[in-house]
Amino acid sequence: MRKLVLLGAGYGNMRVLLRLLTKDLPSDIEITLVDRTPFHSVKTEFYALAAGTVSDSIIRVPLPVHDQLKFVEGEIIEINTNEKNVYLDNGQHIEYDELVVGLGCRDNYHEVPGAAENTYSIQTIGKSRITYEKLLGLGGGATVGIVGAGLSGIELASELRETRPDLNIKLFDRSPRILGDFPERLSDYVQGWFDKHNVEVVAGSNITKVEEDVLYNHEETIAVDAVVWTAGIRPVTAVQNIDTEKGNSGRLVLNKHHQLPTYNDVYVVGDCAELPYAPSAQVAEAQAEQIVKVLRLVWNEEPLPETMPEIKLKGFLGSLGKKQGFAYLADRTVTGRIARLLKSGVLWMYKWHNG
């Protein structure tokens, strides 16, 4: 049997499984999926879990069932591309013929002193649960700092405002205006929502140190009761330790077929791949579609294409609580209730397609 091993049950590998587990799957292919949890987590909704507006059962999706698919639960500690082996923390090792690395990322603390030790995270479902327990256990009038005003930070701040109107929420943004890379109309709408709902956006911020109860912004000290870090990501340790060329924040450089240049049997999908796009579920799924086509060609011993289609992104959707939202689709800005309904619809369709 030819062994295809998928590391991580994230968006990329879920799409790989969706496309491979069909009647066209060659009978001599054995697929092994490895993850720390026996389900797929809808990571784009971790902010809502941390804010307490959804239970984790809402953001869990069962893994597919197929005669040629085996699931192994465990924490990956090493990927040895020379031995073609993956090692787990329980002593187990898994051999592969082809490997798809989709292990996602961890928080990037940018070497800010105290950030790793004194902040909370929404990078995994387990860390989001811990963040929920901390935030919802705060007393009235407590101050929560959210470092990073990207999509995750914006959605967490707005969702937390709806569940805890008694908290003081400060959202720290390095840019002079929120969502500064997008049209001002979009920025103004999001900023207006925060102004109306008493969420303080601290523009032009630079967090230089984090202590247990103090956040340092430039030279200013700000008393806080909890800090959630949403200011960037980097690959997990097992991925960063692979001996291959790396790009920004330790992401792995790939060839045009989404393979490691010196190990063509290793594919990388999602947040740990060095790509000319911001990491997102949409990018991971688009990559996965192409990886499946390449795998089928390899299995059929057919030549790989000289060029690969350009990945075309449709835009993004964001929520501001349960009733309002914002979107940037086909170079157009959409705000308000319609944008929120669009996001809810996309989430429903995703869960339906994945069982």
Side-chain angles (χ1 to χ4, degrees), residues 140-345:
T143 298
V144 176
I146 299 173
V147 180
L151 198 55
S152 295
I154 289 170
E155 292 187 312
L156 175 62
S158 60
E159 203 85 358
L160 185 61
R161 167 52 72 226
E162 290 201 345
T163 56
R164 291 296 305 270
D166 57 324
L167 294 177
N168 299 311
I169 302 174
K170 297 178 182 289
L171 179 60
F172 294 87
D173 187 4
R174 287 182 67 92
S175 300
R177 66 178 172 91
I178 206 159
L179 295 174
D181 293 334
F182 297 94
E184 285 194 34
R185 180 177 172 231
L186 193 63
S187 298
D188 292 344
Y189 179 79
V190 176
Q191 182 66 57
W193 192 96
F194 283 138
D195 291 342
K196 180 180 178 181
H197 294 85
N198 298 316
V199 173
E200 182 183 354
V201 178
V202 184
S205 63
N206 181 32
I207 304 304
T208 57
K209 187 178 179 181
V210 185
E211 294 180 351
E212 186 175 356
D213 301 311
V214 180
L215 199 58
Y216 291 77
N217 179 31
H218 296 287
E219 303 301 320
E220 180 186 9
T221 59
I222 301 167
V224 289
D225 297 282
V227 178
V228 184
W229 193 271
T230 66
I233 54 177
R234 62 187 305 145
V236 297
T237 302
V239 171
Q240 288 200 308
N241 287 342
I242 296 175
D243 184 17
T244 188
E245 183 182 357
K246 299 178 179 70
N248 186 40
S249 299
R251 295 185 177 92
L252 306 189
V253 173
L254 308 178
N255 65 19
K256 60 190 173 186
H257 298 121
H258 308 284
Q259 303 161 331
L260 296 185
T262 52
Y263 299 98
N264 291 169
D265 48 13
V266 179
Y267 302 78
V268 183
V269 65
D271 294 354
C272 48
E274 177 70 8
L275 298 169
Y277 315 98
S280 70
Q282 188 180 171
V283 172
E285 290 177 341
Q287 261 194 292
E289 296 281 357
Q290 295 191 3
I291 288 172
V292 168
K293 292 177 181 177
V294 172
L295 283 171
R296 289 190 181 277
L297 290 172
V298 170
W299 293 339
N300 291 330
E301 298 183 350
E302 297 178 31
L304 301 185
E306 290 294 325
T307 60
M308 296 292 285
E310 180 185 355
I311 291 176
K312 295 182 179 180
L313 304 181
K314 298 175 182 177
F316 67 87
L317 296 161
S319 66
L320 291 169
K322 295 302 182 190
K323 296 181 180 179
Q324 302 295 316
F326 55 96
Y328 189 66
L329 304 170
D331 295 329
R332 296 185 62 184
T333 297
V334 182
T335 58
R337 183 68 170 167
I338 292 176
R340 188 64 179 90
L341 289 172
L342 281 172
K343 182 177 180 185
S344 297

Side-chain angles (χ1 to χ4, degrees), residues 35-37 39 41-43 45-47 49-50 59 75 103-107 120-132 236:
D35 198 272
R36 66 163 70 93
T37 61
F39 49 81
S41 301
V42 184
K43 188 176 181 179
E45 302 303 302
F46 283 176
Y47 73 90
L49 175 60
I59 59 176
E75 189 78 28
L103 289 175
C105 282
R106 56 193 173 99
D107 289 295
Y120 291 83
S121 171
I122 56 172
Q123 276 302 313
T124 68
I125 192 169
K127 290 180 178 179
S128 298
R129 291 184 187 122
I130 294 170
T131 301
Y132 161 75
V236 297

Side-chain angles (χ1 to χ4, degrees), residues 69-127:
L69 173 65
K70 178 175 68 173
F71 172 71
V72 175
E73 186 172 349
E75 189 78 28
I76 296 152
I77 60 171
E78 182 186 355
I79 301 166
N80 192 314
T81 51
N82 292 314
E83 296 178 0
K84 301 183 72 168
N85 256 311
V86 176
Y87 293 88
L88 308 184
D89 61 351
N90 59 10
Q92 186 177 2
H93 69 91
I94 301 169
E95 297 179 354
Y96 65 83
D97 292 297
E98 283 91 22
L99 180 71
V100 182
V101 180
L103 289 175
C105 282
R106 56 193 173 99
D107 289 295
N108 187 351
Y109 297 107
H110 307 285
E111 300 182 353
V112 174
E117 299 81 6
N118 297 311
T119 66
Y120 291 83
S121 171
I122 56 172
Q123 276 302 313
T124 68
I125 192 169
K127 290 180 178 179

